[in-house]
Amino acid sequence: MAQLFFVLYLLSVIGGIAILLGEERSAVSSIPWILVVVFVPIVGLLLYIIFGYSLRRKQLIDVEVREALSDAPLETRAVPVTEVKDEPDRELHSLSALIERLTSTPLTTANELTHYDDSREWLSACRDAIAQAQHYIYIELYRIEEGPWLDALLDLLAERIQEGVALYWLYDDVGSRSLSRHYRKRMEQMGGEVATFLPVRFRLLTSRVNYRNHRNLVVVDGAVGFTGGNVLLSELSRMPDAVLPLATTHLRMTGEAVRQVEYSFALDWYVATQQLLSPQQLSPTIAPQEWTAEPIKVQTFPTHPTDDFPSLEMILTHAFLQARRSLYIESPVLIPTSSIQQALISTALSGVQVRIILPRRGRSWLAPKASHAFFTDLLRAGVEIYYYEGLREATYAIIDEGCAVTGTPYLDFRSFEYNFDLTTVIYSEEVAQQFVERYKETLALCHQVTPRQNKLWRRIAHGVMRLLTPLL
């Protein structure tokens, strides 16, 4: 009997390691799983197959589908083709080129761009745009919460559908897991098209729990688009009025930049339904308008765990290394990959002022503790880390006070490895200054983290947290 168990153990270890190596994962994510497979016989292999199997080599979206989504007449093409005459500064030109090569989203322009740091203001702007819809509405949300705001939104959507407006609504099955069957049925019976992204029937028995769609966007008639972080209305309702709003970094944009938001939705809709949204059928020609303001250069791009390369990680690493004077970052968590951590350290050591704001507490009790495990090397290199006493969900970076990077991804391993995210890079000093002002307001409410001598037990705890990061 002992020999049989030994043979099973040996086969599970060899099989697990072979599967891991065959996926061509990084050493950082492979070693923890190898340890699980080795020290938890047989069960470790099952755990990896259920929770750890990577989608990196799986093509959820064929190349032909991507081409079909952009194969339309020039005036209705889903992927922007605006020729931007003035490129960003030379230091940032390589960033825009990298984004285009990795995500097929070129540099384009927005006629207007508004920044919101309160979910309630963003939702109010979304409702105003939806009320004026004449042709179609795209909605994609990671987290849908029940309450008065959802009732009001559903009533408004029902009115627009009655007027002949087409509705396409996509939501994440795990992020909106608290949504009751009553509301799901009500959404489906309004008359529009409603779908869930990678639905999970047995949450504990599938690796799809890991691969979630964190994108939040709204598009109305191809004329106005909205993107942003999580819509956290329940948290906002419990906050005193005097407290700084729970920043979630939302955007409203008009102009050609909206096409990139549309393109991201079309890709996700195909993954969820296997239906190809035709830009020729759904996107009316938008008459050009006279704008006196200078167009704002932007790129809004989706990143996927199925990309050929770790696109988001590569783009953010490159963006941080472009800083020459200052790099200001705010994120709900800081669980960086080795490349992100080395980029922050290298930037600080080169004389750039690197500041990072993190919340003292998070929606997950484990995330702040995991973040703390990475502080030692960053502080030693001169990175300034600040704690906000409370809960914040803002996610953005400001490079040299002239370029802002914002969207749904956190600075954590899961955003780089598992999540479907949407990010916007804004090449505008005017808009970047809006982020800088908000950053300084938040910084005034924070206290700086200072280096301290870690005791042995704390160093061991930090080492364990860093080792288990890929499993969190």
Side-chain angles (χ1 to χ4, degrees), residues 28 310 312-318 320-321 336-346 416:
V28 173
L312 180 62
E313 182 181 2
M314 294 172 66
I315 290 168
L316 292 185
T317 298
H318 189 78
F320 295 165
L321 290 173
T337 60
S338 59
S339 63
I340 293 292
Q341 185 178 23
Q342 294 306 316
L344 293 172
I345 291 174
S346 299
F416 302 131

Side-chain angles (χ1 to χ4, degrees), residues 116 121-131 153 156 218 220 226:
Y116 303 93
E121 295 178 358
W122 183 74
L123 285 171
S124 177
C126 289
R127 285 196 295 266
D128 291 343
I130 290 172
L153 178 61
L156 177 59
V218 176
V220 177
F226 300 84

Side-chain angles (χ1 to χ4, degrees), residues 37-52:
V37 170
V38 172
F39 290 106
V40 187
I42 302 176
V43 177
L45 177 59
L46 294 177
L47 289 173
Y48 173 74
I49 294 174
I50 294 172
F51 296 109

Side-chain angles (χ1 to χ4, degrees), residues 196-323:
T196 56
F197 189 87
L198 294 183
V200 177
R201 296 186 180 276
F202 303 100
R203 301 188 191 281
L204 296 179
L205 296 178
T206 175
S207 62
R208 284 189 173 187
V209 174
N210 274 332
Y211 298 97
R212 306 320 314 166
N213 191 325
H214 283 227
R215 295 172 190 144
N216 297 291
L217 64 88
V218 176
V219 175
V220 177
D221 292 341
V224 59
F226 300 84
T227 67
N230 284 330
V231 181
L232 306 175
L233 292 180
S234 60
E235 286 83 352
L236 280 166
S237 64
R238 295 193 295 267
M239 295 177 66
D241 293 336
V243 175
L244 193 69
L246 179 60
T248 42
T249 325
H250 304 293
L251 298 175
R252 175 190 182 275
M253 63 185 74
T254 64
E256 284 294 327
V258 179
R259 298 303 187 191
Q260 291 183 336
V261 184
E262 279 193 320
Y263 178 64
S264 177
F265 180 87
L267 291 176
D268 291 341
W269 186 261
Y270 179 82
V271 172
T273 66
Q274 297 299 297
Q275 296 176 4
L276 194 64
L277 290 178
S278 171
Q280 295 168 289
Q281 295 177 6
L282 291 179
S283 294
T285 301
I286 301 174
Q289 303 182 38
E290 294 294 333
W291 298 97
T292 58
E294 184 73 18
I296 301 168
K297 293 184 282 290
V298 300
Q299 282 175 290
T300 298
F301 57 92
T303 49
H304 320 267
T306 58
D307 290 340
D308 293 333
F309 301 98
S311 303
L312 180 62
E313 182 181 2
M314 294 172 66
I315 290 168
L316 292 185
T317 298
H318 189 78
F320 295 165
L321 290 173
Q322 301 309 301

Side-chain angles (χ1 to χ4, degrees), residues 316-336:
L316 292 185
T317 298
H318 189 78
F320 295 165
L321 290 173
Q322 301 309 301
R324 295 295 178 265
R325 299 181 301 277
S326 63
L327 175 60
Y328 300 149
I329 298 172
E330 184 172 2
S331 176
V333 296
L334 178 63
I335 309 177

Side-chain angles (χ1 to χ4, degrees), residues 66 79-84 87-88 92-108 260 263 298-302 311 315 425 427:
R66 295 178 185 269
V79 180
V81 293
T82 303
E83 293 184 2
V84 180
E87 298 288 349
L92 295 174
H93 173 69
S94 61
L95 175 61
S96 65
L98 177 65
I99 293 171
E100 182 173 357
R101 290 291 298 274
L102 288 174
T103 66
S104 300
T105 49
L107 187 68
T108 187
Q260 291 183 336
Y263 178 64
V298 300
Q299 282 175 290
T300 298
F301 57 92
S311 303
I315 290 168
V425 179
Y427 306 93

